[in-house]
Amino acid sequence: MLPKNKSLLIISAPSGTGKTTVVRKLIQDKPNMVASISYTTRSKRDNEIDGDDYRFVSIPVFEAMVAEHAFFEYAEVFGNFYGTPKKEVEASIKEGKTVILEIDWQGANQVRKTEPNCLTLFLIPPSKEELKKRLDKRGTDSVGEINLRFKEAINDIQHSINYDATFVNKDLELTCDEIINFVKQYKGLKKPISEHELSIINSFKI
């Protein structure tokens, strides 16, 4: 079992919430933090680098890795597969690093089963309207894909209550500071969900 909450940190969020930007900021500011690079079967976007953003592989290669039990977790999201590699994560942990897994709630549930002492964080947008605006601004998805991601966010955000802490990602610097402070001070107790956070979560039920 991994050391309590010091080696494996899960960060989840609906698409468009800004979790990738938050993770990049965290590893930039904290040299002891590294991000696990997931394997995926989806096509590479123009602004992405293979081996930096993701490791892009074919479906047969991904299926072979599943058969070899090469993943901590894997899941199908929007018709594509994503997986967290065991070998790379374990190597970073042996080096004394805190490894961040940028995965969805499905993956988080899988990791919890084998590593129950991992620390899980969930990012939520400031509002439904802001999330829709961010999805539109990304310019990487079609109108149909944006609507699908927004619809899926309604389901995703309800799983935030199962995480150790929830943060509203309104300001990058503030969000990262809050995450770092929480991790430093964490003593086994979940961060209480504030009325403001709860109001945002409940707004996605409407």
Side-chain angles (χ1 to χ4, degrees):
M1 186 176 292
L2 298 173
K4 180 69 173 175
N5 72 62
K6 295 298 181 183
S7 298
L8 203 56
L9 182 64
I10 292 175
I11 297 183
S12 303
S15 293
T17 304
K19 64 181 178 296
T20 298
T21 303
V22 167
V23 170
R24 286 176 177 168
K25 177 66 173 171
L26 288 172
I27 63 176
Q28 174 186 309
D29 292 349
K30 296 294 177 180
N32 196 52
M33 286 185 170
V34 295
S36 170
I37 301 175
S38 297
Y39 283 70
T40 182
T41 60
R42 77 161 170 76
S43 299
K44 184 173 73 69
R45 293 169 181 158
D46 291 339
N47 63 336
E48 292 177 325
I49 300 173
D50 189 11
D52 187 1
D53 297 288
Y54 289 96
R55 300 189 189 281
F56 298 92
V57 297
S58 65
I59 291 178
V61 168
F62 193 95
E63 290 176 338
M65 293 181 72
V66 170
E68 294 167 1
H69 304 288
F71 294 122
F72 259 122
E73 59 79 32
Y74 67 93
E76 182 179 0
V77 183
F78 301 118
N80 299 300
F81 290 96
Y82 296 80
T84 301
K86 281 184 181 179
K87 185 177 179 180
E88 289 92 328
V89 171
E90 290 172 347
S92 293
I93 289 172
K94 285 181 180 179
E95 293 175 1
K97 303 288 188 180
T98 293
V99 182
I100 301 175
L101 306 188
E102 185 186 334
I103 57 180
D104 71 355
W105 63 268
Q106 299 176 77
N109 285 345
Q110 291 181 50
V111 175
R112 283 194 194 98
K113 291 178 182 178
T114 56
E115 305 298 341
N117 285 336
C118 63
L119 190 57
T120 59
L121 314 179
F122 199 97
L123 305 181
I124 61 176
S127 66
K128 289 175 69 173
E129 294 74 21
E130 179 61 24
L131 179 63
K132 187 64 163 61
K133 190 183 299 181
R134 290 179 183 180
L135 287 170
D136 290 336
K137 282 185 177 180
R138 291 201 310 182
T140 57
D141 302 309
S142 66
V143 174
E145 289 172 327
I146 289 172
N147 290 335
L148 179 61
R149 290 181 185 278
F150 186 74
K151 182 178 179 180
E152 189 63 27
I154 297 174
N155 174 57
D156 290 346
I157 214 164
Q158 304 310 316
H159 293 272
S160 61
I161 61 173
N162 299 320
Y163 283 65
D164 294 306
T166 298
F167 302 90
V168 178
N169 187 27
K170 182 177 182 180
D171 176 84
L172 177 61
E173 295 284 348
L174 179 60
T175 299
C176 290
D177 285 346
E178 289 178 341
I179 288 174
I180 290 170
N181 288 334
F182 175 76
V183 172
K184 284 182 177 178
Q185 300 172 16
Y186 183 71
K187 299 185 184 302
L189 297 176
K190 293 180 67 172
K191 172 178 170 288
I193 297 177
S194 68
E195 290 187 9
H196 177 55
E197 291 163 351
L198 188 59
S199 67
I200 294 173
I201 293 170
N202 287 338
S203 73
F204 278 80
K205 295 179 181 180
I206 301 173

